[in-house]
Amino acid sequence: MKKLLLAMVAGAALASPWAALAEPASYLKLAFGPSHYSGTLRSADETAWNLAYGQAMDENWGYEVGYIHFGEVSSAALGQYSNFRSHALYAAGVAKMPLNKAAHAYAKLGLASIESRGSGTTLLGSASETHTNTNLIGGVGIDYRFSPQVSGNIEYQYFGDTFHSAVTLSAWTVGLRYGF
């Protein structure tokens, strides 16, 4: 009798519409957008891409781990060529605030391991340097659910100083999340 009652309750829960509208606990996110390299001598914009996995711990809290590539900045003038690129692995706690049934705003705070590589060539020779550092990161965004599994988001992420504190990194991205 208890097994039959449990099966009926489970069947009713799975058949009800609120189960279909529940947000999945885990997700994969793919996002693209402009990144910004800001340095003491020069600033530049490039194209960033971000791949992340996240999981909700409850209705308002979760975490996200991901990879972001900030693009490559190059310049050439008078026989000189320089190139700079950065990418990061990060882990962040995520706090969500519902705006309505389909949308929520969120903020995230965490740590990132950022690797930056700079190289340059002149008439006298060439040099390159790679630097890795760990920074606190922060981000804010809005997520809109199109279906129970698919949502879109707009997000700003700030990764702070890199490459001996000479360059700061940030990115605005627009992406899709698939929940499972």
Side-chain angles (χ1 to χ4, degrees), residues 121-170:
T121 304
T122 67
L123 297 174
L124 301 174
S126 64
S128 68
E129 182 179 1
T130 301
H131 181 72
T132 303
N133 64 317
T134 303
N135 280 359
L136 230 108
I137 64 158
V140 294
I142 295 177
D143 194 59
Y144 183 83
R145 223 172 348 152
F146 301 117
S147 74
Q149 279 78 34
V150 179
S151 62
N153 69 330
I154 298 173
E155 179 176 50
Y156 173 77
Q157 296 180 86
Y158 181 77
F159 283 80
D161 295 339
T162 183
F163 212 76
H164 307 297
S165 300
V167 176
T168 59
L169 298 169
S170 61

Side-chain angles (χ1 to χ4, degrees), residues 74-94:
S74 300
S75 65
L78 301 172
Q80 296 182 354
Y81 175 78
S82 65
N83 179 307
F84 190 80
R85 66 177 179 251
S86 294
H87 58 100
L89 292 171
Y90 67 89
V94 180

Side-chain angles (χ1 to χ4, degrees), residues 21 23 59-60 96-106 141-147 150-154 177:
L21 295 176
E23 187 172 350
E59 187 176 288
N60 298 315
K96 298 188 304 186
M97 181 183 75
L99 300 175
N100 59 36
K101 286 185 179 186
H104 64 263
Y106 61 90
I142 295 177
D143 194 59
Y144 183 83
R145 223 172 348 152
F146 301 117
S147 74
V150 179
S151 62
N153 69 330
I154 298 173
R177 282 181 16 166

